[in-house]
Every structure is written in C-alpha cells, then in structure tokens.
Amino acid sequence: MTTPAPWVPEGIWIARGEEETRVARRVRASLPDVPVHIVDDPATAEPSGFAQGKRRLILQRHGGTFLQHCPAGTTGMVCCNYLVANFASNCPFDCSYCFLQDYVANNPAVKIFTNVDDGLAEIDAALRRHPTRQFRVGTGELADSLALDAVSGLTRDLVPFFAARDNAVLELKTKSTCVDTLLEHAPTDRVVTSWSVNALQIVAAEDRGAPSLDARIEAAARVQAAGFRVGFHFDPLVAHEGWERGYRDTVERIFARIDPARVAWISLGSLRMTPRLKTAIRARQDRGQILTGELVPCADGKERVWRGMRVRMYQHILGWLRDVDADLPLYICMEPASVWEKVMGQAPSDREVARHVTQRTVSAPTPSLEPR
C-alpha cells in the first residue's frame, strides 16, 4: 500500500518560546519547505473562516485541562464513561457534518499543542488516583487522532506511555491512513486504533478530503496485521436512500479484510445536529446534502432522525455485525435508555457499558449486552 503524503499547510506559526519543543522540532523537520513564522500571540495567526483554517498550522501551548469527559456523557444518555485528551485542535479533513465547524468557529486554524508532557502528566495523575478503575482515553474528539501524526509524531509519545500502564486503554480514532509512525512501535493491547466508517455514498458525498472507505479498511488491516487491535465507528449513520444496502456493504467490506476476533469494539451513532451547527453548515456554499433529510429535536438539544428510524437502522446493522461474530463488543452512542431497550432489550448502566466495551482489552468479567 502506498504511504499517504503528509498534510502540508500553507504556513506554520509557532508561539515564541516554543520553537525548540519536541513537537516544534518534529513539525519543522517533517515540513522543511513550509514557511515558519514566530509570533508573540498565536491568535494573530487565526484566519477569518473555517475553510481557511484547514490550511494553517499553529504550534502553541495548551493552557487548559487536557483530560475531559466525553461530551457524549449528557444527562439522560447512556454513556460509556469515555475520556478525551486534547493534544490538537481541528484536522485537515472537511466532513460536511463535522461539529468543529461550530465548536472552533472563532479559532479555526489547525493547532498542535507543544506541551505534550503536561498532558501526559495530567493523565498519569488521574490513573494513579484511581488504580483499580479501567480508563478508556481517546484523542479523536477535537482532532483526528492520526491525520497529523506524520507531522507531529504524537504516537511516539502516546503509545509507549499507555503501553506501560495497566489501567488505561488509548483509542486513536481516525479517518486517516497515516499509520506508519504508529507501526514503528511494538503492538500492545493498551492501544486501539479505530476508524470512523460510513456507507460508500455518504463517504463520497460528505467526507471531503478524507480517504476512501476502502483505503481506511486497508489501513486498519495493516494495523491489525502488525498485532494491534482495531475498532470501528459507524457514526454518523445517515438515513439516505438505499441505506440498508449501503451499510450492509460497509460491514461486508470491513470483514472481508479484518479478523473479527481482533476487533476491540464497534459503535453506532445517529447523525445529530445542534441549531448552531446547522447554521454553520447552511452558511457554506459547499455544504453537501447532509441537511436534506428530516431531523427532529431531542431531549439533549440536538436534532436526529426520528426515533423509529434510528432504532430500525441500529437493529439492522447490529444484526449484520452479530452475523459476523456474535461476541463483538457493540454499543450505541449518545442515545437514551429507551432506545437502548428497543435495540438491545436492556438499558445498562454507564459502568456496565464501559466494562463491556473494554472486554477484549481488559482481563475482567464483563456483562453481556446481547438482547434478552
């Protein structure tokens, strides 16, 4: 498989005093021909629009808390107790439904934070405070976990760190095929690389700038062949014409290349929109077709396709996945207990979901989430 070319921004802006940090040295070495600007205030490098932000890279310290609870843990929603660690913000891809269009609208440049060791120390302190708890930590919330890795080399810091811990699993969630730096490391079950996938029609129409579905699956096969576990996220599911055929085809494509016994987890989540995100999408000329379907307001303030359709989609796709392997750890994301009961036949606690999700990476008894 051809190694993908790294993302190349139009310029690199580095906060003064961060020029010789490990991250800054890696970035400059990997992008030797990109102009570098040293700035006293990184905010002055911010462009005026989200699309322009995809072409600018800012290296600066992260001044806040690195480790946070996943925003999916909204009141009234069944949660998997997922934690997110933010070492970067924004990514080179430009998917039509991406919530970052709203979330980073006022600071849209791609950012890589230079004080990685501060983030690792924060995570380490949390793990030490709760030595008997199993943590699941992901880096794919505010940025794709691997799309910038050929530039930042962040996996060189993260993989050894988590490989040495007994009570945490790192998830690298991505749409990228940039896995070469990851594969420099010996495999460990403490690191899971997972790919966001969708029906071919949705990938082609809405995942702008991202690798094709087959390229993602091929990258997952490389990672799995190297000895790592992999995961998949069918999210966001979009109720489009021919969705049954489209999502069944995606399941078949995945497991034509992937060994289900070495899949750590698979999640399903419906397309969800906030009013501000819808406004941001409508303001763009290249907004795609993602808003042509009918969405209804839900209790958490987001809009989704009506519950009956969501349940039907979940049941079909979960059924196809169980036909592949009845023991696959499966869960649904950002849904209330009523939807879990319709789909799974039960509404587990957050703790039960968390234990179930990590059943293939943690040696501990786990509850079944099979339908009753």
Side-chain angles (χ1 to χ4, degrees):
M1 180 177 178
T2 302
T3 301
W7 170 68
V8 179
E10 65 182 14
I12 303 167
W13 285 258
I14 306 177
R16 192 175 304 279
E18 302 303 302
E19 303 96 318
E20 296 304 319
T21 58
R22 186 166 67 249
V23 169
R25 291 198 303 268
R26 287 174 181 165
V27 170
R28 296 177 77 166
S30 62
L31 298 170
D33 299 324
V34 176
V36 175
H37 313 273
I38 308 302
V39 292
D40 292 313
D41 181 4
T44 61
E46 291 287 357
S48 59
F50 184 73
Q52 295 94 323
K54 301 286 186 180
R55 300 193 292 271
R56 291 195 171 198
L57 175 59
I58 296 177
L59 307 182
Q60 66 180 71
R61 294 179 66 83
H62 182 46
T65 301
F66 281 86
L67 191 63
Q68 300 178 8
H69 200 282
C70 176
T74 307
T75 301
M77 301 290 170
V78 177
C79 176
C80 66
N81 282 334
Y82 192 66
L83 298 178
V84 295
N86 297 317
F87 290 95
S89 176
N90 213 338
C91 84
F93 308 142
D94 196 12
C95 302
S96 66
Y97 46 78
C98 181
F99 84 103
L100 294 177
Q101 294 170 90
D102 168 31
Y103 195 82
V104 301
N106 295 325
N107 54 343
V110 176
K111 297 175 188 65
I112 302 174
F113 300 125
T114 52
N115 51 332
V116 174
D117 290 340
D118 291 343
L120 296 179
E122 187 179 320
I123 296 169
D124 186 57
L127 302 186
R128 290 178 183 275
R129 282 195 302 270
H130 306 279
T132 62
R133 175 182 168 185
Q134 285 293 333
F135 290 83
R136 182 165 162 251
V137 181
T139 61
E141 178 65 19
L142 297 186
D144 184 291
S145 292
L146 293 181
L148 300 173
D149 201 44
V151 171
S152 71
L154 184 60
T155 52
R156 295 190 178 113
D157 302 307
L158 294 179
V159 173
F161 176 88
F162 280 89
R165 268 92 189 147
D166 294 329
N167 64 330
V169 175
L170 170 68
E171 179 180 31
L172 300 168
K173 187 183 295 185
T174 189
K175 292 179 181 175
S176 173
T177 56
C178 296
V179 299
D180 287 353
T181 306
L182 169 67
L183 296 182
E184 293 174 1
H185 302 278
T188 169
D189 280 349
R190 290 292 164 182
V191 175
V192 173
T193 309
S194 64
W195 274 263
S196 296
V197 294
N198 221 303
L200 279 173
Q201 180 178 336
I202 300 303
V203 171
E206 312 296 342
D207 288 7
R208 294 176 298 228
S212 69
L213 174 63
D214 287 340
R216 296 178 209 179
I217 295 170
E218 196 61 33
R222 284 186 65 201
V223 171
Q224 191 182 68
F228 289 91
R229 295 185 188 273
V230 299
F232 296 95
H233 298 280
F234 287 73
D235 195 341
L237 295 177
V238 180
H240 61 284
E241 184 176 355
W243 66 263
E244 297 101 326
R245 180 177 62 256
Y247 286 115
R248 183 158 195 167
D249 176 64
T250 297
V251 172
E252 291 172 351
R253 286 172 182 266
I254 290 171
F255 291 104
R257 297 287 292 120
I258 298 297
D259 177 4
R262 295 286 295 170
V263 171
W265 50 67
I266 297 178
S267 77
L268 283 73
S270 177
L271 176 68
R272 43 206 178 265
M273 291 278 169
T274 63
R276 285 177 41 169
L277 177 55
K278 289 179 69 174
T279 299
I281 294 172
R282 288 192 175 116
R284 298 185 60 175
Q285 293 182 342
D286 57 345
R287 58 180 173 267
Q289 304 296 312
I290 202 70
L291 296 181
T292 57
E294 183 178 358
L295 304 175
V296 298
C298 297
D300 63 350
K302 296 182 175 68
E303 295 183 11
R304 296 169 174 80
V305 70
W306 62 285
R307 190 177 77 161
M309 175 59 77
R310 301 203 311 274
V311 168
R312 182 182 171 198
M313 294 179 77
Y314 292 148
Q315 289 174 333
H316 276 70
I317 299 170
L318 288 171
W320 299 328
L321 291 169
R322 290 196 179 101
D323 286 343
V324 172
D325 183 347
D327 295 325
L328 282 171
L330 308 170
Y331 67 103
I332 50 180
C333 186
M334 294 196 76
E335 289 288 0
S338 59
V339 171
W340 274 83
E341 289 176 347
K342 286 281 188 181
V343 176
M344 298 286 195
Q346 59 179 305
S349 68
D350 293 356
R351 186 180 297 273
E352 287 173 329
V353 176
R355 290 176 61 204
H356 172 74
V357 169
T358 57
Q359 71 179 20
R360 289 193 179 185
T361 53
V362 177
S363 298
T366 55
S368 172
L369 294 185
E370 295 299 309
R372 290 174 179 162

